[in-house]
Amino acid sequence: MADKEKARVAVEIYGQTYTIIGTESSGHVRHVASLVDDRMREISKRNPYLDSTKIAVLTTVNSVHDYLKLEEKVQQLEEEVKKLKGREARYD
């Protein structure tokens, strides 16, 4: 399997320009950057006294929290699917 070619994509997040290098499509990278920017601005709006570093850390903490919750939900759903497949096998 050939390695994907890496691309550089310039994005703006919370007023700063970043060059992201990766194998994902530029559209995907821009979408991710837009979501990060939106979340940082949302946190900033609720906490206007925070500096950009603290906003970035809170954004990361919130994002990782959301990721772990989704990961937990996926595991629960996978367990449910296994149980359902086990029931199907007994009826065959």
Side-chain angles (χ1 to χ4, degrees):
M1 189 161 106
D3 290 330
K4 284 185 171 182
E5 188 175 321
K6 291 185 177 182
R8 293 174 177 265
V9 180
V11 297
E12 188 171 310
I13 300 172
Y14 203 66
Q16 296 289 318
T17 301
Y18 297 91
T19 300
I20 309 293
I21 301 170
T23 57
E24 296 295 337
S25 71
S26 61
H28 176 78
V29 172
R30 285 188 180 95
H31 181 64
V32 170
S34 174
L35 293 173
V36 172
D37 183 68
D38 289 347
R39 186 164 253 189
M40 287 183 74
R41 291 181 188 285
E42 178 184 316
I43 289 171
S44 175
K45 190 180 286 184
R46 286 186 272 137
N47 304 282
Y49 56 89
L50 294 178
D51 63 32
S52 61
T53 301
K54 288 181 181 172
I55 292 168
V57 170
L58 285 174
T59 299
T60 303
V61 168
N62 285 322
S63 296
V64 171
H65 169 77
D66 291 348
Y67 171 80
L68 292 174
K69 286 296 194 183
L70 287 171
E71 192 175 57
E72 187 179 295
K73 184 67 175 173
V74 166
Q75 288 174 351
Q76 290 172 352
L77 291 171
E78 286 174 344
E79 288 174 19
E80 287 181 37
V81 168
K82 279 183 189 177
K83 287 177 186 175
L84 290 172
K85 284 185 176 182
R87 288 182 193 161
E88 286 178 7
R90 285 185 276 170
Y91 294 116
D92 288 340

